[in-house]
């Protein structure tokens, strides 16, 4: 599971990341549309052991965002869409790019452009089970990651559909005051 953190309080996000790590989560995404995301990334990175994978999400402008995230230790990045240059910039920085697709054509395009991993966004609402099964059959060489509206209670359903890696945002990572 990739735990997705979005919020307006870096200290609260750091605390929630530690709670998630303590519960067994080993991959944390800090969304770049959060308040002070790079400060949050730095705080989480400072608190975490080297076996915790930390990345950024909601990438919209790859060059400046990923260069800064890389300096702070991000090793993966996600976007709900496919910003221009995301794959090239990420790979040059040795960050794993996970581009987004909202339909089967988007997955095909991402693969043509060199993607190795694709975020299936809004997976819980916008994808049929038939499309998901067909995608897995057609794109066995891609890591397909359902994200959007998925919580811990949905893990079994997604596992039965053949997905081992999921992105979970508010249903898992909800920040508590």
């Amino acid at each position: 599971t990739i735990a997705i953190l979005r919020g307006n309080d870096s200290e609260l996000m750091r605390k929630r990341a530690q709670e998630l790590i303590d519960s067994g989560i080993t991959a944390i995404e800090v969304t770049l549309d959060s308040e002070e995301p790079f400060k949050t990334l730095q705080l989480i990175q400072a608190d975490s052991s080297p076996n915790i994978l930390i990345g950024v999400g909601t990438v919209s402008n790859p060059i400046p965002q990923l260069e800064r995230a890389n300096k702070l230790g991000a090793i993966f990045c996600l976007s709900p869409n496919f910003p221009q240059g995301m794959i090239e910039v990420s790979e040059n920085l040795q960050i794993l790019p996970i581009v987004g697709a909202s339909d089967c054509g988007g997955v095909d395009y991402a693969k043509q452009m060199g993607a190795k991993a694709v975020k299936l966004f809004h997976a819980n609402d916008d994808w049929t089970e038939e499309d998901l099964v067909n995608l897995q059959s057609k794109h066995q060489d891609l890591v397909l990651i359902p994200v959007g509206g998925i919580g811990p209670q949905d893990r079994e359903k997604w596992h039965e559909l053949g997905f081992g890696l999921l992105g979970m945002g508010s249903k898992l990572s909800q920040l508590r005051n």
Side-chain angles (χ1 to χ4, degrees), residues 9-61:
D9 182 330
S10 292
E11 188 55 37
L12 185 60
M13 292 172 70
R14 180 206 60 79
K15 182 179 176 186
R16 184 62 181 138
Q18 192 56 56
E19 292 170 354
L20 291 163
I21 291 166
D22 290 346
S23 76
I25 295 293
T26 59
I28 303 283
E29 169 193 336
V30 175
T31 65
L32 294 177
D33 60 351
S34 294
E35 187 79 24
E36 300 186 279
F38 296 108
K39 176 181 177 183
T40 303
L41 181 65
Q42 190 171 21
L43 289 170
I44 294 170
Q45 188 70 269
D47 286 351
S48 301
S49 68
N51 66 329
I52 302 301
L53 308 175
I54 300 174
V56 293
T58 318
V59 173
S60 59
N61 194 354

Side-chain angles (χ1 to χ4, degrees), residues 2 7 20 26 30 33 48-49 56 67 83 89 94 98 109 114 139 147 149 153:
I2 299 172
L20 291 163
T26 59
V30 175
D33 60 351
S48 301
S49 68
V56 293
E67 286 177 352
V89 171
Q94 297 183 340
I98 305 169
Y109 177 72
H139 298 292
V147 179
Q153 71 281 1

Side-chain angles (χ1 to χ4, degrees), residues 21-171:
I21 291 166
D22 290 346
S23 76
I25 295 293
T26 59
I28 303 283
E29 169 193 336
V30 175
T31 65
L32 294 177
D33 60 351
S34 294
E35 187 79 24
E36 300 186 279
F38 296 108
K39 176 181 177 183
T40 303
L41 181 65
Q42 190 171 21
L43 289 170
I44 294 170
Q45 188 70 269
D47 286 351
S48 301
S49 68
N51 66 329
I52 302 301
L53 308 175
I54 300 174
V56 293
T58 318
V59 173
S60 59
N61 194 354
I63 292 175
Q65 290 175 328
L66 295 180
E67 286 177 352
R68 190 166 178 196
N70 182 331
K71 289 177 184 172
L72 296 172
I75 63 165
F76 67 90
C77 63
L78 294 100
S79 180
N81 50 29
F82 197 153
Q84 184 175 352
M86 182 156 161
I87 291 176
E88 298 83 3
V89 171
S90 301
E91 288 178 348
N92 285 339
L93 294 169
Q94 297 183 340
I95 296 175
L96 172 66
I98 305 169
V99 298
S102 59
D103 58 33
C104 296
V107 175
D108 291 339
Y109 177 72
K111 182 176 177 176
Q112 289 173 352
M113 298 306 293
K116 308 271 187 291
V118 178
K119 171 181 174 176
L120 305 177
F121 193 65
H122 293 94
N124 217 32
D125 298 326
D126 296 343
W127 293 82
T128 67
E129 286 187 17
E130 181 181 353
D131 282 341
L132 293 166
V133 170
N134 288 338
L135 275 176
Q136 288 181 311
S137 176
K138 182 178 179 182
H139 298 292
Q140 294 179 19
D141 54 338
L142 288 178
V143 176
L144 300 171
I145 307 166
V147 179
I150 299 171
Q153 71 281 1
D154 303 313
R155 196 178 313 241
E156 186 175 322
K157 167 194 160 187
W158 288 98
H159 180 73
E160 288 174 3
L161 289 171
F163 293 94
L165 181 58
L166 304 171
M168 294 185 194
S170 61
K171 289 186 177 185

